[in-house]
Amino acid sequence: CDVLFEKLRQSGIQPEMEGHKNCFIFDLEHFHGKEVSDDVKKRVDRFCDGGKRKAVYYDDELHLPQLIHWNAGTHDFRLLNHFYAYLYFTDPKIDNFYKRFVRDFMHYKDNIYCAAGK
């Protein structure tokens, strides 16, 4: 595995984000270089625990690379929390779509649950 991880680390971008220190924001206006509205700023601030976590916006730096490697093997950059507490789409329709998609279609297989319970 170390060879694969090293190749991924060399080939892709590694965002330096931590689940308990950052929140990952997807906003179309920000992505296109436009000013974020006051309403969106308030909602992002509320989502990021009143500024306790730093908002990291999805932008060209994260969009252009072919590979994003979440370096979750180190303690500094683990994302050990639920995705819905970390990812925020400022468009409520998109936010609901992805949260429902994950809820309805992404599940661990039973043998993983069984192994975890041993």
Side-chain angles (χ1 to χ4, degrees):
C1 284
D2 289 336
V3 173
L4 175 61
F5 289 142
E6 188 60 34
K7 181 68 176 167
L8 291 173
R9 289 181 185 122
Q10 291 173 0
S11 301
I13 186 172
Q14 298 177 63
E16 294 186 2
M17 291 188 259
E18 297 180 62
H20 66 283
K21 290 184 180 179
N22 301 110
C23 41
F24 198 20
I25 310 299
F26 294 83
D27 181 70
L28 193 58
E29 301 297 324
H30 185 273
F31 183 77
H32 290 297
K34 298 178 183 174
E35 182 67 29
V36 177
S37 71
D38 288 339
D39 176 57
V40 169
K41 288 178 185 176
K42 287 178 187 175
R43 289 187 285 129
V44 167
D45 187 59
R46 185 171 52 241
F47 181 79
C48 296
D49 303 323
K52 291 179 184 173
R53 295 184 296 157
K54 180 183 176 195
V56 176
Y57 283 85
Y58 182 78
D59 56 14
D60 278 343
E61 183 181 341
L62 293 169
H63 181 73
L64 294 176
Q66 290 185 333
L67 173 68
I68 296 176
H69 176 67
W70 298 101
N71 192 7
T74 63
H75 292 288
D76 291 337
F77 303 113
R78 286 201 173 154
L79 302 176
L80 294 176
N81 56 356
H82 297 284
F83 77 95
Y84 49 80
Y86 181 68
L87 301 175
Y88 182 64
F89 295 86
T90 59
D91 181 334
K93 290 179 184 177
I94 296 173
D95 195 52
N96 287 334
F97 173 83
Y98 282 106
K99 288 176 181 172
R100 288 177 181 146
F101 181 86
V102 171
R103 178 197 66 198
D104 294 343
F105 297 108
M106 300 181 81
H107 303 278
Y108 286 110
K109 294 184 178 192
D110 288 341
N111 57 354
I112 292 175
Y113 278 115
C114 291
K118 292 181 180 181

